[in-house]
Every structure is written in C-alpha cells, then in structure tokens.
Amino acid sequence: MKKYCVIGCPIAHSLSPKLHNSWFKKIGLSARYTAVEVQPEELERFMRDFRKIYSGANVTIPHKEKIIQYLDGLTAEAREIGAVNAIVNKKGKLIGYNTDVFGAMSALKTKCKSLKNKRAIVLGAGGAARAIVYGLKRAGAKVVVLNRTVGRAKKLAREFGCEYGVLQDFGRCSCDIVVNATSVGMWGKNKIKDLKVLESPMPDFARIISKRAKKPVAMDIVYRPKMTRFLKDAKKAGCAIITGDKMFLMQAAASFGLWTGYFFKNSAPATSGGGGGSSGSGSP
Ligand code: ATR
C-alpha cells in the first residue's frame, strides 16, 4: 500500500486525509493518506526517513519554506515561489511542487474576471502568501504585502516587486482584492471551541471597508471554519467573498494529479489523465 501524508503544525484541522482517501478509493488505488503533526524542531528528523515510507505528501503551516532544504529537487515554479506544498517521491528523489498557486488563482478567478492591473493586498508573508503573491504578479496585479512582522513582508515584497507594510497600514491602502494568507481565524487543536476562530488578521476590516464606495473582493485561505471572522466582516461590509475551501480543493486536486495522473475538480467520478500539475498549482 502506498503512503501519503500532510505535515504541519497544527494539523488537526486538515481535511486533506478525508479528501485524498476518498479520491484514492474512487480510482481504486491501494493508498492511505494521513495527517502528521510535525513540530518545527522535528522536521529534519521526520524528513530523514520520509523517502523510505512515503510516496508523496502535502506540506502546510509552518513548513512550506523550511521543507525545501530536505528535498532533492524543485520545479522552476516552486523555486521561484520559494515555498513547497506538495512533494512527489520519484524513485527515491523528493521533488517539491507548489500547487497552492494553482489553487489560489483558480479560487480568485471565480469572482475576478481579470487580475490585470488590479490592486491586491495580501495579508501575510509566509509560505502560502508567497504562492499567492507570485500568482497575482504573474497575472498582472499590483500587490501590497502587509504582515505582522514587517521584515518578512519586506523580503517577500522585494523578491516579487511589490509594496509592503504592517497589517495596521491596511486602512491607508486602496484595493480591489484582499486575501487573508495568514493562519489567523483557523481552528486550532480544540477545533470549534477554540477562541481563535473569533480572530481576524484585520479586526477593523468591516469599519474601514464599510466607508468605502468600492468594495474589494475578499478571499480567505483558511477553510476551517469556512466562514471565518475575516469573511464574515467582509460580507457585512458589502464585499464579494471567496471561501478558503475553493483554494483548498484545487490545490488538493493538483497534488493528487501529480501523484496519480488523475485530476478531480470536485468529488465527482474520476477523469483520468488530467495530471493537474502545479502550474497549473488553499493550503493543505
Ligand atoms: P504558511 O506556510 O501556511 O503560510 P507560515 O509561513 O508560518 O505558514 O506563515 C504564517 C503567516 O501567518 C505569517 O504571515 C504570520 O505572520 P508573521 O510572519 O508575523 O509570523 C501570520 N500570522 C500567524 N499568526 C498570526 C497572528 N496571530 N497575527 C498576525 N499574523 C499572524
């Protein structure tokens, strides 16, 4: 039986095992996908035995950047992004892909016809934010990166030719699109009882946006809960919203395509051969 996993910390919230196991069943592949909590200080040890055990994996918070040093190769896209969310074990060689960019761009396209010259604000500067900034820039958007830690925003912005600032700068920036690419608002280890679901990376969002005539499209990469505090505030302020499950599903479909050659856009019956591909490319 082939083994796959998603590694992250926290990981209890992840729907990846349920989704991928149901897809494996559909195509009749003898494979099992599990969620493995790997603390940052355990990553090196975990990766030592990885290639002997796993045929592939997804990588999520907070390992998408750090994982790169333990891989044997990267796609050109993953290298440019500087973050990996999918690994394929090709005969003992671990190759890193980025399917987040495909997931995020597919999700954005459900509400934005064209991204060219659109002003986009990305909240966050971690691994997921990198893929989103890369995708937005490639589509011709003008991007501002706002992050809690300004140094990380500055580094990302310099690499991709964006503006940057801290989260508190949001009120001073006009925008057509806002993406929460932080983990704020996500279920923690205690799931729904966790007070973290009440948090937003931008607690003043509704107040700031309510006053504006032009409402931005708001997207969240957090998919558990589906209606995050950030998206509730955006809806209240009159924004069109894109829930995190869209990106989650499409990055998963592309990852599954890399491992099996089958590409599912939903839980419908298998279509063979699509491949997915990361350039094609939520977060697991
Ligand atoms: P991922 O690979 O999933 O993006 P990551 O690299 O750990 O995970 O990045 C998490 C992002 O969420 C970062 O932008 C982080 O901000 P910092 O760079 O300042 O750490 C952001 N983040 C996490 N917790 C946050 C919080 N409580 N408030 C604001 N931002 C937060």
Side-chain angles (χ1 to χ4, degrees), residues 61-62 64-65 124-129 147-149 152 167 181-184:
I61 187 169
K64 288 178 183 178
E65 294 165 78
N147 195 43
R148 174 177 65 178
T149 309
R152 216 171 170 195
L167 295 171
T182 74
S183 53
V184 183

Side-chain angles (χ1 to χ4, degrees), residues 9 59-65 83-84 100 123-130 146-150 152-153 167 180-185 196 199-202 221 283-284:
C9 185
V59 183
T60 191
I61 187 169
H63 303 310
K64 288 178 183 178
E65 294 165 78
V84 159
D100 272 347
L123 307 175
R130 286 186 155 269
L146 302 180
N147 195 43
R148 174 177 65 178
T149 309
V150 73
R152 216 171 170 195
L167 295 171
N180 174 33
T182 74
S183 53
V184 183
K196 285 187 182 306
E199 292 173 0
S200 164
M202 195 54 59
I221 68 161
S283 275

Side-chain angles (χ1 to χ4, degrees), residues 188-199:
K189 288 187 179 171
N190 304 320
K191 295 199 170 175
I192 203 83
K193 289 182 193 132
D194 201 314
L195 291 176
K196 285 187 182 306
V197 298
L198 303 175
E199 292 173 0

